[in-house]
């Protein structure tokens, strides 16, 4: 399998936050998501895009990622932003071939998906609530990242 450049929006894809309080987030890995992330990092060039609400959240996410053994992952490939516009800019700048989007606490990521669609060949949109939005064949919509065709291919390797 050819290594592709993959950007992964961290929130709501492989991480979830049980707290509704954006000032006091408590992120954790979703079930089976860590297995997918480890396989993804082994097989592709992965950039993790983390949209954060404040410095404390950034520190918490950085510590969580630091504590997680991701063999072969270069921690310099974690990029941080505070707004959706920053996320779009980073993904476009990195010239991602596949982007995995999950939104953030206040949005499901539809605007990010729409803005990236003309520039990223394959987008996987992980939605909190399943809804059909006609975006074409290049956008795969799921509720769990491990249910995607891409994840099944990655985990089969």
């Amino acid at each position: 399998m050819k290594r592709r450049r993959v950007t992964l929006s961290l929130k709501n894809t492989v991480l979830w936050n049980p707290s509704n309080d954006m000032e006091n987030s408590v992120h954790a890995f979703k079930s089976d998501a860590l297995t997918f992330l480890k396989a993804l990092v082994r097989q592709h060039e992965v950039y993790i895009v983390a949209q954060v609400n404040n410095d404390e959240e950034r520190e918490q996410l950085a510590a969580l990622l630091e504590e997680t053994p991701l063999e072969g992952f270069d921690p310099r490939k974690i990029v941080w932003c505070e707004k959706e516009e920053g996320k779009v800019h980073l993904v476009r700048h990195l010239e991602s071939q596949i982007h995995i989007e999950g939104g953030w606490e206040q949005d499901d990521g539809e605007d990010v998906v729409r803005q990236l669609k003309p520039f990223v060949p394959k987008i996987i949109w992980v939605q909190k609530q399943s809804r059909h939005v006609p975006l074409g064949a290049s956008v795969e919509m799921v509720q769990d990242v491990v249910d995607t065709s891409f994840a099944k291919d990655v985990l089969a390797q």
Side-chain angles (χ1 to χ4, degrees):
M1 176 188 276
K2 182 180 175 236
R3 287 179 62 88
R4 293 185 268 183
R5 181 167 295 161
V6 178
T7 49
L8 171 73
S9 179
L10 200 56
K11 291 182 178 178
N12 304 321
T13 57
V14 295
L15 292 185
W16 73 293
N17 180 7
S19 172
N20 290 328
D21 182 0
M22 288 184 359
E23 296 301 316
N24 298 302
S25 54
V26 185
H27 295 282
F29 282 98
K30 290 181 172 184
S31 175
D32 297 329
L34 188 53
T35 302
F36 166 68
L37 182 57
K38 287 179 179 183
L40 183 66
V41 165
R42 278 194 312 272
Q43 297 171 35
H44 297 285
E45 179 185 6
V46 177
Y47 286 83
I48 294 175
V49 181
Q51 181 179 346
V52 294
N53 298 305
N54 53 49
D55 290 340
E56 293 79 19
E57 183 180 37
R58 179 181 173 150
E59 290 171 14
Q60 189 222 4
L61 291 176
L64 181 63
L65 290 168
E66 190 175 302
E67 295 165 4
T68 304
L70 295 174
E71 187 178 322
F73 180 72
D74 182 349
R76 294 173 297 184
K77 291 184 177 180
I78 302 171
V79 292
W80 305 94
C81 62
E82 293 180 3
K83 299 187 183 315
E84 287 182 335
E85 294 82 14
K87 187 188 303 185
V88 170
H89 173 76
L90 288 166
V91 173
R92 286 189 59 191
H93 179 74
L94 292 167
E95 297 180 346
S96 180
Q97 295 165 304
I98 299 171
H99 177 66
I100 304 170
E101 179 60 42
W104 60 298
E105 289 84 358
Q106 294 186 337
D107 187 79
D108 69 359
E110 182 177 348
D111 290 339
V112 171
V113 170
R114 286 187 184 281
Q115 290 179 54
L116 289 176
K117 188 177 180 289
F119 306 101
V120 179
K122 170 84 174 165
I123 298 174
I124 298 167
W125 182 17
V126 181
Q127 302 172 325
K128 293 180 195 177
Q129 303 293 322
S130 182
R131 61 190 183 98
H132 179 70
V133 180
L135 293 169
S138 67
V139 178
E140 183 176 357
M141 293 176 269
V142 294
Q143 283 190 279
D144 194 332
V145 70
V146 297
D147 291 336
T148 64
S149 57
F150 178 64
K152 288 176 175 44
D153 289 344
V154 166
L155 291 169
Q157 299 294 318

